[in-house]
Amino acid sequence: MDSGAITEEMKKEAVIQLASFMMHKYYCENDTDAVTGVLSEPFIWIGAGEEEYAVGSETVTDIFAHFKGQVPRCTISDEEYDVIQLASDVFLCTGRVWIVTDPSTDIYLRVHQRLTIVFKWDNGRFLCCHIHISNPYSEMSDEDAGFPEKMARESCAYLKEQLEIQKQLLEKQTSALKRLSFEDSLTGLFNRNKFNQEIEVALGENSNPLGIAYFDLNGLKEVNDHLGHSAGDDLIRQTACHISRIFEGKGYRIGGDEFVVIDHDLDESSFRAAVSSVCRNMEQDGISCSAGFSWREYGNMMEQFDEADKLMYQSKKQFYSSQEYDRRHLYG
């Protein structure tokens, strides 16, 4: 099940079903293996007694092994659950159930049990990372009167800690996804998505100053046709390296063999020299590339991109019409 493909209500219902499954497997069947199968690490369980179990030296399997065969058969009724979403794919399920021992056990126990369970989405399914089970104060003896408050404090502190961990993980994941959404996987340059965002943000605004350079490989089709696409990919990566070496963090791959530089730092002479260095270095490396650029003291990104684009195509037209260009062997 893809977490992104289901609605929030469907996720909440899945959490409720999993919480009920865990309660029935533990109390009705004493099937601790089924319970440990839906637990994550880190994990902590605070029971209705005075024991607290957390993953550390023991695994989740070790923790529940203590109770295998120890819980008398019970029946569960009047289940009530409520779920809220704490963060992306992190859900808090609270509820209460009536637990009554089965008559066949010759043990009479009737408990109105409260529970708090935290679930998180992990590799395509929900897993439990925190369980807090307690009995209402009225059902506890005097000697236990102070313990619920202690459990509540400890549970709250742990829950905050877990939420902070989940928040940090989500921030890292969000940052990674954002980077991937703006990064060209072949070259490591920014991609067309990032370029379009820059254009959109700058639309109608002037920046001071602004240099735009447009580079387009010559002969990539011939390389692909005669040497294979792997060689073509190598050529694209080499081109990106030359651009990054001079314009670090300012390069964009906006098409198969098209590259753009957006520079807000250099003055006109420095920008011209930098573009010339890229072209010269590529030529020395045996890479043929047409280029055009535009620099303005009060820049307009869209206008300058069009200007650099036109100049690049003029350069490409000259290349393809030159006597040195053999139309029988080179196709751009």
Side-chain angles (χ1 to χ4, degrees):
M1 179 169 61
D2 178 5
S3 173
I6 61 177
T7 66
E8 181 177 334
E9 290 305 314
M10 292 169 66
K11 295 176 184 177
K12 288 182 177 180
E13 182 60 32
V15 165
I16 289 174
Q17 292 178 5
L18 186 54
S20 179
F21 169 84
M22 294 172 65
M23 296 296 289
H24 281 266
K25 285 295 181 182
Y26 184 74
Y27 287 104
C28 300
E29 302 176 32
N30 196 209
D31 186 351
T32 58
D33 292 336
V35 176
T36 57
V38 296
L39 302 181
S40 73
E41 298 186 13
F43 167 79
I44 190 170
W45 176 36
I46 302 175
E50 295 189 3
E51 295 295 333
E52 177 178 316
Y53 300 90
V55 171
S57 58
E58 292 185 305
T59 67
V60 291
T61 303
D62 295 331
I63 291 171
F64 277 85
H66 296 296
F67 305 97
K68 194 167 187 177
Q70 301 300 312
V71 179
R73 181 178 295 277
C74 301
T75 60
I76 291 178
S77 63
D78 298 329
E79 295 177 76
E80 297 179 15
Y81 301 101
D82 185 55
V83 179
I84 59 173
Q85 185 170 3
L86 300 176
S88 177
D89 291 334
V90 179
F91 291 81
L92 174 67
C93 178
T94 56
R96 57 184 180 180
V97 298
W98 277 105
I99 301 175
V100 181
T101 50
D102 190 279
S104 64
T105 64
D106 294 327
I107 300 172
Y108 180 75
L109 177 65
R110 190 170 187 267
V111 178
H112 195 192
Q113 200 153 76
R114 308 293 177 88
L115 56 122
T116 302
I117 309 178
V118 178
F119 293 94
K120 66 178 180 178
W121 186 261
D122 189 356
N123 292 324
R125 62 173 182 156
F126 279 113
L127 293 177
C128 170
C129 59
H130 172 84
I131 302 175
H132 179 198
I133 295 176
S134 63
N135 298 327
Y137 296 173
S138 59
E139 298 182 13
M140 291 187 164
S141 64
D142 291 340
E143 64 183 12
D144 294 326
F147 188 65
E149 289 86 349
K150 177 177 180 290
M151 287 197 301
R153 289 194 302 270
E154 292 175 347
S155 177
C156 183
Y158 175 78
L159 184 57
K160 288 180 179 180
E161 178 184 347
Q162 291 303 307
L163 289 176
E164 183 61 29
I165 291 173
Q166 295 301 319
K167 180 181 177 181
Q168 292 174 4
L169 289 173
L170 289 169
E171 287 176 350
K172 290 181 180 178
Q173 292 171 357
T174 300
S175 177
L177 289 172
K178 184 176 181 180
R179 178 180 58 80
L180 289 173
S181 70
F182 287 151
E183 182 180 285
D184 176 59
S185 59
L186 180 62
T187 65
L189 298 179
F190 291 124
N191 61 15
R192 183 82 194 204
N193 291 335
K194 179 65 172 176
F195 175 75
N196 289 341
Q197 184 189 70
E198 294 290 334
I199 291 291
E200 184 177 348
V201 170
L203 195 62
E205 297 182 359
N206 292 335
S207 58
N208 179 24
L210 176 63
I212 302 286
Y214 200 138
F215 302 91
D216 192 302
L217 283 171
N218 299 321
L220 178 62
K221 185 177 185 301
E222 184 194 43
V223 173
N224 287 332
D225 289 346
H226 293 274
L227 301 177
H229 286 274
S230 178
D233 288 347
D234 288 340
L235 180 60
I236 290 171
R237 279 191 288 262
Q238 287 178 325
T239 302
C241 285
H242 284 295
I243 293 172
S244 295
R245 194 171 293 121
I246 303 298
F247 292 104
E248 184 178 359
K250 302 175 182 179
Y252 301 73
R253 184 186 176 209
I254 64 170
D257 57 358
E258 300 173 73
F259 304 85
V260 170
V261 166
I262 300 176
D263 182 272
H264 296 279
D265 302 317
L266 300 177
D267 58 33
E268 183 175 8
S269 61
S270 298
F271 183 72
R272 286 176 177 271
V275 173
S276 296
S277 294
V278 173
C279 294
R280 182 173 59 253
N281 293 342
M282 283 197 285
E283 183 178 359
Q284 292 174 352
D285 202 19
I287 300 173
S288 178
C289 185
S290 297
F293 69 89
S294 171
W295 188 94
R296 295 185 188 180
E297 185 175 358
Y298 298 97
N300 182 291
M301 191 173 293
M302 198 66 240
E303 291 180 4
Q304 289 183 247
F305 173 73
D306 290 339
E307 183 179 339
D309 184 24
K310 291 176 183 178
L311 291 173
M312 182 277 294
Y313 271 104
Q314 289 179 14
S315 174
K316 182 171 283 290
K317 184 178 180 180
Q318 292 175 2
F319 172 79
Y320 282 111
S321 62
S322 66
Q323 293 181 354
E324 290 79 9
Y325 170 63
D326 187 344
R327 293 181 182 273
R328 295 171 299 174
H329 296 97
L330 188 61
Y331 301 90

